[in-house]
Amino acid sequence: SILPDEKGNLWISTADGINYFNTEKSSIRNVAIDLIFLDNDFAANGISGLDGKFYFFCNNEFIEVDPTAYHPDQKFPHLVLSRFKIFDH
């Protein structure tokens, strides 16, 4: 299924799970939701509720997604290397 949210972004269910496509930045990222399909066949498995939430179902599982609560562009802490060794030297 491909479901548009209120901001025009797309929520896409694939064989690897659910992906979020940011139409403004033309970027896609996998959403950390444990919804994996057993085969690569396309299945219309998502619906948009009257409350604005999305509902996906697969393999007797039912998942509710609130697209307004998903914030993929949050800043993560910077990685700082304090020590670097090659072959224990």
Side-chain angles (χ1 to χ4, degrees):
S1 294
I2 300 174
L3 302 174
D5 64 18
E6 292 177 354
K7 295 181 182 178
N9 299 307
L10 302 176
W11 294 76
I12 307 164
S13 61
T14 68
D16 295 327
I18 298 175
N19 294 298
Y20 168 82
F21 182 73
N22 184 321
T23 54
E24 186 176 300
K25 295 181 180 180
S26 295
S27 65
I28 192 165
R29 66 174 18 172
N30 187 271
V31 181
I33 296 176
D34 191 23
L35 185 70
I36 305 297
F37 301 101
L38 299 177
D39 53 33
N40 287 328
D41 292 339
F42 176 80
N45 67 337
I47 59 173
S48 181
L50 295 176
D51 56 0
K53 295 179 182 176
F54 298 143
Y55 300 92
F56 295 95
F57 44 93
C58 173
N59 303 328
N60 296 325
E61 293 184 48
F62 187 74
I63 296 176
E64 176 187 72
V65 176
D66 183 356
T68 61
Y70 183 67
H71 305 289
D73 299 322
Q74 293 178 344
K75 300 287 183 186
F76 291 97
H78 294 284
L79 175 65
V80 177
L81 298 176
S82 60
R83 183 180 293 178
F84 184 77
K85 288 184 174 184
I86 298 178
F87 301 115
D88 207 25
H89 289 27

